[in-house]
Amino acid sequence: MGEDLDERKRKILKAIIQTYLETGEPVGSRTISKYTDLNLSSATIRNEMSDLEEMGYIIQPHTSSGRIPSDKGYRLYVNDLIQKTNQDAEVQTLMIQKTDRMEKILKQVVDVLAQNTNYATMIAGPSYHQNSLKFIQLSRINDKQLLAVVVAQGNLVKNQMIDLKESIDEDEILKLNLLLNNELNGKTIGEINLDMITRMKQQAGIHSEVISSVIDAVAETIQPGDEDVPIYLSGATNIFDYPELADSKKAKELMTAFGDKKELAEMIRETAPGEESSNGITAYIGNESPIQSIKDCSVVTANYNLGNGMKGTVAIVGPRRMDYKKVVENLKQLKTQMNALFGNGDAKLEGSTGQDVIDSHSEN
Amino acid sequence: MGEDLDERKRKILKAIIQTYLETGEPVGSRTISKYTDLNLSSATIRNEMSDLEEMGYIIQPHTSSGRIPSDKGYRLYVNDLIQKTNQDAEVQTLMIQKTDRMEKILKQVVDVLAQNTNYATMIAGPSYHQNSLKFIQLSRINDKQLLAVVVAQGNLVKNQMIDLKESIDEDEILKLNLLLNNELNGKTIGEINLDMITRMKQQAGIHSEVISSVIDAVAETIQPGDEDVPIYLSGATNIFDYPELADSKKAKELMTAFGDKKELAEMIRETAPGEESSNGITAYIGNESPIQSIKDCSVVTANYNLGNGMKGTVAIVGPRRMDYKKVVENLKQLKTQMNALFGNGDAKLEGSTGQDVIDSHSEN
DNA sequence: ATTAGCACTCTGCAATTTAGAGTGCTAACA
DNA sequence: TGTTAGCACTCTAAATTGCAGAGTGCTAAT
């Protein structure tokens, strides 16, 4: 909308925003006049502020109070922040222990970020875009039951218990094992077609039901649905530290959103930033937020890249008057470190462990 | 604490409590006088109330307000409730779909209870007290990696990726498989001793490291630690519906507790009621609560029994002025239905599925 | 173009008032 | 002796009022 801002207006706006982020209270002309190297009187500032308000960058909550930034104001500020290469990179390296288990890394990252920023942080594990099957192992549990273990590239493992109508012996299991591995190994989701499936079922004869079950497991493993993308969350309760979010109505809404994996998955999917755009870091301010329930918050996301087609997303959720600078710097730092750790290939993703009667533990 | 209450005092106390549970506000003598079939004037009630207060069953928040129940008062009321066989069992049967997956049942149960009661509900999966090993399956991933699949009674499945120093071929894997299964199958945790382990390591020769890894996985599978007992949580945000819990300080404390699996595990472990005592249902009122952070709440727990040594615990957390009646009735109903569904043996626990790079998904 | 000065507005807070609910006690009553 | 009506008293919660402080917009002077 309209003209660009001149240098002075820019500086004033920035000062207003920074002060507001610190104090959380509308900032008046006097404050800016005093605590700025502009050497202007409060009256001048007032005039400029009046202009800025007219242009939509700041808002007066009520006649004769100070100004607060509008979403448009924030946006200008944040864009600046993201584009600027952090020359003043006094950001500490994040304390991330390198371990052999992807899930441990993710937990660490999400915890460190939540702690550093004091906002709610979530991270989605890498999604394997074009994953292929490594091998399948059928084992006999008893007469009427099989255990299928499906292993995909990147060592994702999935167990599937299969109930049989007809009993089965070791010999037949061996045959099925061969059949499945011959047909499926190395295939991606796109390469497995109905033709192959039908052919396998025919060959399996009486045990064709097994084929169906295994195929299902394979599908879930090499192309997990939204619900299966694991999401780690940390510091959800940090939101209570910000009065503007802590009233029970909003807090309930937020906690519900944080507790609902589907909602989170949607959010993270929606926010996955275009890799090209500005550093891979994107900010959603207030109403720009990807899901309705957090429209009182801002979200800053970054995607981390592990080469080899795997990538995931981190999102930090805080109040509109979030310390964007700190957040963006932390995310930049994270990207740098993740690159350094995993930059070349997927080698370090090994060592995964799946488990259990129950595959998704706590849930809110 | 002296004398027992006479019939009339009992009735008055009960009326006070019930009214308070409904309204949440201190109840006065007039209210009781009017809405009770006792046909007593408010003045009489006042005298009785004065007695009840002296005996510690009710409390006057400030001079000249109505009375509210003390923890002692609640206790009397709740004890009554639990012991009384619910003759007036108009409780609807809980809508629980029988499925073949334990985890789905648990999810359903926890959701239904949270919905029915509108309190926070959590459930711990069955702990397998004396579980034994069914079989072990080693598979080759590549030169330097093995996948061990450990299956225990009740079809708990655990995957463990094993990194090797020395490369290994199919023949050797077969040998290890035989070795492990011969030694370990059918054993409980107590029956696996250091002697056996040492012997196996010797026989495994250069690949003794594999034995250690497998043993670790076995231990975790047939005797999961506290952190591994899966806990399902539902309706955590229901607490926001109760003003006495919804202020940000308390809500934060509660949500933190709910989000911390360890805390929950501790709570559920602590509350696991003595099976014998009163129906297996136990109530913890206010300060009796098992963990510090929920001392403003009451907790009602029940353990469900699946025969065959497996049992788990349900806990419902709500405000002190929780609708104990509804909660207790729901839990009784649950116990009945669980018994009906699973009463005989563990047959229905089959069909479990484990999975994934990441073994514990969302976390708060 | 900038600034000093002044009248005006709005908020947040504390003090005050008021209405209502409930009690405790006393005296009357069955 | 147990029950009840009546009344003075207490306490809370909510509404009302009165400031003090911060900030603005405008005008006139520099």
Side-chain angles (χ1 to χ4, degrees), chain A residues 242-274:
Chain A
Y242 307 97
E244 62 265 52
L245 301 179
D247 78 284
S248 68
K249 193 168 168 329
K250 283 183 190 159
K252 177 171 186 176
E253 211 173 350
L254 280 174
M255 293 308 296
T256 306
F258 288 158
D260 183 349
K261 235 193 289 183
K262 279 184 200 144
E263 192 105 318
L264 285 189
E266 185 188 335
M267 182 171 101
I268 286 188
R269 175 159 35 74
E270 295 285 322
T271 58

Side-chain angles (χ1 to χ4, degrees), chain A residues 13-27 31-32 35-36 67-69 74 77 119 241-244 319-326:
Chain A
L13 177 59
K14 190 171 173 186
I16 293 173
I17 294 179
Q18 281 178 338
T19 314
Y20 181 70
L21 290 183
E22 274 169 34
T23 65
E25 288 183 356
V27 358
T31 315
I32 301 299
Y35 300 104
T36 284
R67 311 300 217 283
I68 63 173
Y74 277 130
Y77 173 75
Y119 301 121
D241 296 341
Y242 307 97
E244 62 265 52
R320 237 195 196 76
R321 67 176 194 89
M322 175 191 256
D323 184 341
Y324 295 97
K325 188 149 182 265
K326 199 191 342 177

Side-chain angles (χ1 to χ4, degrees), chain B residues 60-74:
Chain B
Q60 212 171 9
H62 40 261
T63 331
S64 85
S65 80
R67 310 301 215 282
I68 62 173
S70 69
D71 283 2
K72 186 176 170 189
Y74 277 130

Side-chain angles (χ1 to χ4, degrees), chain B residues 295-307:
Chain B
K295 66 183 178 351
D296 291 313
C297 297
S298 287
V299 184
V300 184
T301 64
N303 47 18
Y304 60 96
N305 213 309
L306 306 180

Side-chain angles (χ1 to χ4, degrees), chain A residues 157 159 232-233 356 358 364, chain B residues 157 232-233 353 356 358 363-364:
Chain A
V157 181
N159 304 316
Y232 294 90
L233 173 66
D356 259 354
I358 279 149
N364 258 345
Chain B
V157 181
Y232 294 89
L233 173 65
T353 296
D356 259 354
I358 280 150
E363 166 159 282
N364 258 345

Side-chain angles (χ1 to χ4, degrees), chain B residues 131-310:
Chain B
N131 207 352
S132 64
L133 196 64
K134 241 174 177 173
F135 74 85
I136 295 169
Q137 170 84 55
L138 294 179
S139 308
R140 185 173 177 283
I141 299 277
N142 59 39
D143 255 26
K144 299 278 193 180
Q145 283 195 315
L146 291 180
L147 172 68
V149 178
V150 178
V151 182
Q153 216 63 42
N155 291 343
L156 280 96
V157 181
K158 180 157 186 77
N159 304 317
Q160 170 86 47
M161 208 55 88
I162 300 174
D163 290 314
L164 301 173
K165 293 206 193 65
E166 308 294 332
S167 64
I168 195 166
D169 64 31
E170 289 288 356
D171 241 29
E172 294 173 295
I173 295 176
L174 202 60
K175 274 186 202 156
L176 287 175
N177 255 325
L178 280 174
L179 175 62
L180 284 164
N181 281 291
N182 281 340
E183 290 279 357
L184 299 179
N185 281 5
K187 297 284 193 299
T188 66
I189 191 91
E191 291 166 349
I192 300 174
N193 55 41
L194 194 57
D195 186 33
M196 290 166 56
I197 298 173
T198 323
R199 196 167 57 238
M200 281 192 292
K201 280 192 179 174
Q202 277 170 2
Q203 292 186 41
I206 193 171
H207 297 301
S208 69
E209 46 176 339
V210 175
I211 305 293
S212 304
S213 296
V214 173
I215 294 285
D216 287 348
V218 169
E220 270 186 60
T221 310
I222 65 181
Q223 192 155 81
D226 263 3
E227 291 158 31
D228 294 314
V229 174
I231 292 178
Y232 294 89
L233 173 65
S234 181
T237 52
N238 286 343
I239 63 160
F240 288 105
D241 296 340
Y242 307 96
E244 62 265 52
L245 302 177
D247 78 283
S248 68
K249 193 171 168 325
K250 283 183 189 159
K252 177 170 187 177
E253 212 175 349
L254 282 173
M255 294 308 295
T256 306
F258 288 157
D260 183 349
K261 236 194 288 182
K262 280 185 199 142
E263 191 106 316
L264 284 190
E266 184 188 336
M267 182 172 99
I268 286 188
R269 175 160 32 76
E270 295 285 322
T271 58
E275 181 58 39
E276 331 72 21
S277 85
S278 47
N279 278 317
I281 294 178
T282 315
Y284 299 82
I285 295 156
N287 294 311
E288 303 168 1
S289 281
I291 59 175
Q292 189 56 18
S293 43
I294 59 166
K295 66 183 178 351
D296 291 313
C297 297
S298 287
V299 184
V300 184
T301 64
N303 47 18
Y304 60 96
N305 213 309
L306 306 180
N308 220 29
M310 288 178 304

